[in-house]
Amino acid sequence: MNPVSYQRASSIDQAIQMAAGGRGRLLGGGTNLVDLMRKGVERPSSLVDVTTLSDAIEETSEGGLLIGAAARNSAVAAHLQIRSRYPMLARSILAGASAQIRNMATVGGNLMQRTRCLYFQDVAGARCNRRAPGSGCDAAGGFNRYHAIIGASPACIATHPSDMCVALAALDARIQVAGTRGARTIPIVDFHRLPGERPDLETEIEPGELIVAVEIPPPRFARSTYRKVRDRASYAFALVSVAAGLTVRAGRIEEIGIAFGGVAPKPWRAFKAETALRGGPATSQAFEAALADELADATPLPGNAFKIELAQRTLSAVLTELSGSDR
């Protein structure tokens, strides 16, 4: 049995002080952390409850939105400005987990959630470099249907599980953090790390730091959406998901943002595909060619090679829907 102490922070400074210098973990809704504690993956000596921090959703002076880290996922998805101005974000949250979990989960906790790789969670029976650095990766030669086809490394092929983070990546969100060395802002596309040789280092958060808020820039797409392909209709993680925003004028793409879930160890922003498409025609042929270039470096395994074609078909369908094109 692992004894765990519990404290509740009433301010950002207090949360930083409580968590600093030990094996303490910050506790939001607990929908991921507590589950991993039950399985023995996480063994913190103390929990610092940060749900009393800001849960406000406010408009910024630039016309974007600032979402407090303690905001519940269900509240974000139901917020009128998010539903009307950032529909891909609302839809991504509603595609994740169950209503009960969304009522508990927080924005900050969603950003920090860990992979659902079965080998990562199998403490007694599997080797996992993300859980125990240097031990090996049993997923590479095992059941890897749900694993990464791009951005992985020999040390780890796990995918990032969040739906919300995929939409935030397409929206160019920025993560505001505070810590013992002051405050800083991290673009979400840089927030999560690729595994490389250290898959246990999952984010750019440093010891003594915590997420304070998420800032979303003013809307830049005429239309946006989120589509998730999974093995069953609810409460399942993505095989492939797409968050996309599009503005088309006179048949040509003026603005575009694309991010994938289910294919990489982090929310995968498709910068190559965006560059190839921006300024060009909004046609299915263009969509398919752009993604082929994006996935040119994909390294699928026998169990997940189907994800390449699935990603191509899903993106093409989403962009065709957003552009109003049936060509």
Side-chain angles (χ1 to χ4, degrees):
M1 185 174 179
N2 182 46
V4 181
S5 65
Y6 170 88
Q7 304 174 84
R8 197 174 195 191
S10 59
S11 68
I12 293 172
D13 289 342
Q14 188 179 51
I16 293 169
Q17 292 170 3
M18 287 178 174
R23 287 174 47 233
R25 292 296 305 275
L26 300 173
L27 178 69
T31 58
N32 183 212
L33 176 59
V34 173
D35 187 42
L36 292 177
M37 289 172 63
R38 291 193 186 104
K39 295 177 179 179
V41 177
E42 294 274 8
R43 298 177 62 85
S45 60
S46 64
L47 296 175
V48 178
D49 187 330
V50 293
T51 54
T52 57
L53 303 186
S54 176
D55 62 357
I57 303 174
E58 303 171 325
E59 189 167 1
T60 66
S61 58
E62 293 80 20
L65 286 181
L66 189 68
I67 305 172
R72 304 290 177 174
N73 283 11
S74 54
V76 177
H79 195 275
L80 179 60
Q81 289 203 58
I82 290 173
R83 290 171 58 194
S84 60
R85 300 170 65 197
Y86 307 97
M88 75 162 77
L89 179 56
R91 291 171 186 170
S92 71
I93 294 172
L94 293 174
S98 64
Q100 294 90 338
I101 289 177
R102 293 195 297 268
N103 285 337
M104 288 293 296
T106 64
V107 168
N110 193 301
L111 286 160
M112 293 297 294
Q113 68 178 299
R114 307 191 71 186
T115 182
R116 297 317 197 275
C117 173
L118 297 175
Y119 299 94
F120 169 73
Q121 299 189 34
D122 184 5
V123 174
R127 298 175 302 163
C128 173
N129 289 316
R130 191 175 291 253
R131 187 185 68 243
S135 63
C137 176
D138 281 347
F143 180 73
N144 43 53
R145 174 177 174 80
Y146 297 100
H147 290 73
I149 59 173
I150 194 165
S153 74
C156 182
I157 60 170
T159 54
H160 193 270
S162 174
D163 291 286
M164 182 193 78
C165 289
V166 180
L168 290 176
L171 290 168
D172 288 316
R174 298 182 291 271
I175 314 303
Q176 296 185 1
V177 303
T180 54
R181 293 190 288 181
R184 63 188 179 119
T185 299
I186 308 169
I188 190 168
V189 293
D190 299 325
F191 182 80
H192 298 98
R193 297 185 179 188
L194 293 178
E197 296 181 356
R198 290 294 307 274
D200 56 308
L201 302 177
E202 298 175 8
T203 73
E204 292 297 326
I205 288 283
E206 297 178 355
E209 288 187 321
L210 76 157
I211 298 169
V212 174
V214 175
E215 182 181 354
I216 308 175
R220 58 191 179 95
F221 308 121
R223 300 181 68 189
S224 76
T225 195
Y226 182 80
R227 184 174 297 189
K228 181 177 182 178
V229 183
R230 45 191 163 177
D231 280 330
R232 58 181 185 271
S234 64
Y235 203 53
F237 296 100
L239 294 170
V240 169
S241 66
V242 174
L246 196 64
T247 300
V248 177
R249 298 190 192 280
R252 305 192 79 80
I253 297 171
E254 184 175 281
E255 189 56 85
I256 187 169
I258 304 168
F260 285 96
V263 301
K266 61 184 286 185
W268 189 265
R269 181 67 181 271
F271 287 116
K272 289 182 181 178
E274 290 177 14
T275 300
L277 289 168
R278 192 174 288 111
T283 65
S284 58
Q285 294 90 340
F287 303 152
E288 292 166 8
L291 188 60
D293 185 50
E294 181 71 43
L295 296 180
D297 296 328
T299 55
L301 294 161
N304 65 11
F306 70 92
K307 286 190 178 186
I308 293 178
E309 183 177 358
L310 183 60
Q312 291 171 329
R313 289 177 178 270
T314 305
L315 179 65
S316 183
V318 166
L319 294 182
T320 297
E321 173 191 333
L322 293 177
S323 65
S325 169
D326 57 1
R327 291 167 291 179

